[in-house]
Amino acid sequence: MARIFYSFALIFISPLIVFYLYILRGKKNQGYRTHFKERFGFVSKSLFSTKAKPLVFHCASVGEVLAATPLIKALQKAHPNLDILITCNTPTGREQILNQFKNTVACSYLPIDFPFATARFLNRIKPQALCILETELWPNLMAISHKKNIPVLVINARLSKKSQQGYQKVAKLTHIIMRSITVLASHNKTDAERFIELGLETSKSHVTGSIKFDITPSEEQLAEVLNLKQLYNSNEDNNDERFVWVAGSTHPVEHELVLLAHQELLKKQPNALLIIAPRHPEQFDKVAELLTQSPLSFSRRSQNNYNNEQVLLADTLGELQCLYGAANVSFIGGSLIRRGGHNPLESAAFSVGVITGPHTYNFDHVYPELTKLKGAVVVDSNDELAKQLITFSQNTKACLTLGIKAAQCVTKNQGAIQKTLNIINQYLEPKP
């Protein structure tokens, strides 16, 4: 009954969902209008041969795609003939899938959780298993998969206390979700216990750690980092090495705070360079307008015409990790405002230390360890951010130490990918 009520409610508000995705989001990003039929389960049957039963990974957006990439590539290496479909919810997620995997996987949007759309999707794809990253727990998708005897594997699972309380408010629907899970691999014991308190059978729960720690720069990335350092780290006027910091995945309001902090830094370090990478592509032009109205000189990464400006607007996709690697220190966005922060490990893996705001609840499985091991520092405002940047620009040793400690934190917590692979392997069907 709970799922029936949920489905009717979803169908009732479907005009608003379509209006939001196709009209509002589509106006800002045309990618929302492309492949729109996939939102209703009309996934092309030509993605695979008629006999193929792919393994489906669902990654909500860019962050989940990046987190899952090492895991999926390890799976491809172990099972080179395995058909894989990666689904997502956003155009940026889709583009990241193409960037990371080229034509070695299929990709599509996950349908909106209407029962008819989900059933159509599953009937067309006929997956051998469904791997869901983190907490993308859609009731109809999971319940219908369970009914069709499709294993539902929730991997890299996390559940904050706040989210747990939200699920408790819809207990009957949550019970359906928990009953539909075949196996759950969680970040830590606390996350596992929260799922169990919501009704997950204890026997289905495994603690594997976070696969986000299993990030290792590739040779191609390291080569690109060297190129970026040659391009941006030296000052053409006197050939001195510049202090470079990256503000990655910034949001509205936060953009302005970052630019103010950089202006304060320039008073002490006139040659300093800020590389600002907005979280969403639709913010690129808006940040360019902010920079135009500011006293800061800037260029755009997409135009490839950098000429020693004070700010570089990273208005490209798929480059953020390497840009972090080219910096002295990074600031991870979504944290000076209440957005919960973004992944600091993309910076830490390159031995680049992290500065963050106080709002990091999206990564409460990462930041406590990172700050405990002194690979990250927390600031509460743009003024504090500026002071911290000035300190690091004047104390090279402290800045290097922060980066070393950050990388040590990554290495210390690795191993989740192999544990997760061991679980997934149990649910793969042998090739005919």
Side-chain angles (χ1 to χ4, degrees):
M1 184 60 73
R3 191 163 71 89
I4 292 174
F5 180 79
Y6 160 79
S7 298
F8 272 117
L10 203 60
I11 292 170
F12 181 75
I13 64 170
S14 59
L16 293 177
I17 296 172
V18 172
F19 178 78
Y20 173 74
L21 289 173
Y22 195 85
I23 304 299
L24 294 184
R25 297 306 299 267
K27 185 177 181 180
K28 295 179 180 179
N29 186 336
Q30 287 291 322
Y32 277 95
R33 296 178 178 179
T34 308
H35 306 289
F36 199 71
K37 290 194 299 183
E38 293 177 353
R39 305 282 188 179
F40 300 92
F42 291 101
V43 179
S44 174
K45 293 181 180 180
S46 63
L47 287 175
F48 304 101
S49 67
T50 55
K51 293 182 179 180
K53 293 186 68 176
L55 178 67
V56 175
F57 279 87
H58 177 58
C59 306
S61 191
V62 174
E64 290 78 13
V65 172
L66 289 173
T69 294
L71 172 66
I72 297 173
K73 288 187 175 180
L75 193 64
Q76 288 179 311
K77 185 176 181 180
H79 304 278
N81 295 321
L82 178 65
D83 291 303
I84 296 175
L85 168 66
I86 306 177
T87 62
C88 61
N89 299 333
T90 66
T92 51
R94 193 182 191 112
E95 187 164 349
Q96 194 63 243
I97 293 168
L98 296 174
N99 287 341
Q100 295 293 334
F101 297 97
K102 305 299 187 279
N103 62 348
T104 66
V105 303
C107 72
S108 76
Y109 287 125
L110 187 76
I112 302 167
D113 202 37
F114 304 126
F116 59 85
T118 294
R120 182 182 295 117
F121 170 80
L122 294 173
N123 287 336
R124 288 185 171 219
I125 297 300
K126 295 180 173 59
Q128 56 182 284
L130 173 64
C131 298
I132 298 174
L133 265 288
E134 301 189 359
T135 49
E136 279 282 300
L137 308 180
W138 295 104
N140 282 323
L141 174 66
M142 298 177 73
I144 296 173
S145 295
H146 179 65
K147 186 176 180 180
K148 290 179 176 290
N149 294 316
I150 299 169
V152 177
L153 317 181
V154 182
I155 58 180
N156 211 44
R158 60 186 176 89
L159 190 67
S160 67
K161 188 66 178 176
K162 182 178 180 181
S163 295
Q164 182 190 27
Q165 291 169 349
Y167 280 111
Q168 287 171 336
K169 292 178 181 178
V170 286
K172 291 183 179 180
L173 196 60
T174 297
H175 180 71
I176 293 172
I177 293 172
M178 295 300 127
R179 190 178 60 199
S180 301
I181 295 174
T182 307
V183 65
L184 180 135
S186 64
H187 286 164
N188 53 46
K189 186 177 178 181
T190 300
D191 286 311
E193 289 173 347
R194 286 172 180 159
F195 279 101
I196 291 169
E197 289 171 4
L198 290 177
L200 181 72
E201 291 180 23
T202 305
S203 61
K204 295 181 177 181
S205 176
H206 301 264
V207 176
T208 57
S210 173
I211 63 174
K212 290 186 176 180
F213 282 101
D214 283 42
I215 177 173
T216 302
S218 66
E219 291 183 7
E220 292 81 2
Q221 286 178 316
L222 293 173
E224 178 61 17
V225 166
L226 286 177
N227 291 334
L228 292 169
K229 284 184 176 181
Q230 291 174 0
L231 186 60
Y232 298 125
N233 280 53
S234 63
N235 185 351
E236 293 180 358
D237 294 334
N238 52 26
N239 209 31
D240 288 340
E241 186 172 309
R242 310 177 74 180
F243 179 78
V244 180
W245 68 291
V246 171
S249 296
T250 58
H251 292 262
V253 177
E254 203 168 42
H255 309 316
E256 292 89 335
L257 298 176
V258 163
L259 297 182
L260 288 172
H262 190 55
Q263 290 178 60
E264 290 301 309
L265 172 63
L266 289 171
K267 293 176 182 178
K268 299 291 185 180
Q269 297 289 343
N271 293 327
L273 170 65
L274 161 64
I275 301 175
I276 183 169
R279 177 67 176 177
H280 298 114
E282 54 263 36
Q283 292 294 316
F284 292 162
D285 289 341
K286 294 179 181 179
V287 175
E289 181 63 26
L290 287 174
L291 285 163
T292 300
Q293 296 173 1
S294 79
L296 298 165
S297 61
F298 79 100
S299 63
R300 300 180 70 140
R301 171 71 178 157
S302 61
Q303 296 176 359
N304 199 27
N305 60 352
Y306 178 72
N307 189 28
N308 214 36
E309 286 86 3
Q310 297 165 321
V311 179
L312 176 70
L313 172 57
D315 56 346
T316 56
L317 296 175
E319 289 194 304
L320 183 55
Q321 288 186 20
C322 291
L323 290 171
Y324 281 140
N328 297 95
V329 71
S330 65
F331 166 76
I332 310 299
S335 59
L336 276 179
I337 58 173
R338 295 181 183 275
R339 291 300 296 265
H342 296 290
N343 189 1
L345 301 178
E346 294 172 2
S347 172
F350 286 91
S351 298
V352 175
V354 170
I355 304 174
T356 179
H359 307 293
T360 57
Y361 51 82
N362 286 338
F363 287 84
D364 56 9
H365 58 292
V366 171
Y367 272 109
E369 181 79 355
L370 193 58
T371 53
K372 178 183 175 182
L373 295 179
K374 299 182 179 179
V377 294
V378 182
V379 298
D380 290 327
S381 64
N382 61 291
D383 289 334
E384 285 193 21
L385 173 59
K387 290 177 183 177
Q388 193 64 69
L389 290 166
I390 291 168
T391 297
F392 284 135
S393 70
Q394 295 174 342
N395 189 337
T396 304
K397 184 178 179 180
C399 193
L400 287 172
T401 300
L402 186 77
I404 292 169
K405 296 292 186 183
Q408 288 174 346
C409 176
V410 175
T411 302
K412 178 185 175 183
N413 289 277
Q414 288 182 337
I417 282 182
Q418 187 56 53
K419 294 176 183 176
T420 306
L421 281 177
N422 292 341
I423 292 172
I424 293 173
N425 285 336
Q426 298 175 42
Y427 297 93
L428 295 181
E429 298 180 4
K431 274 282 184 180

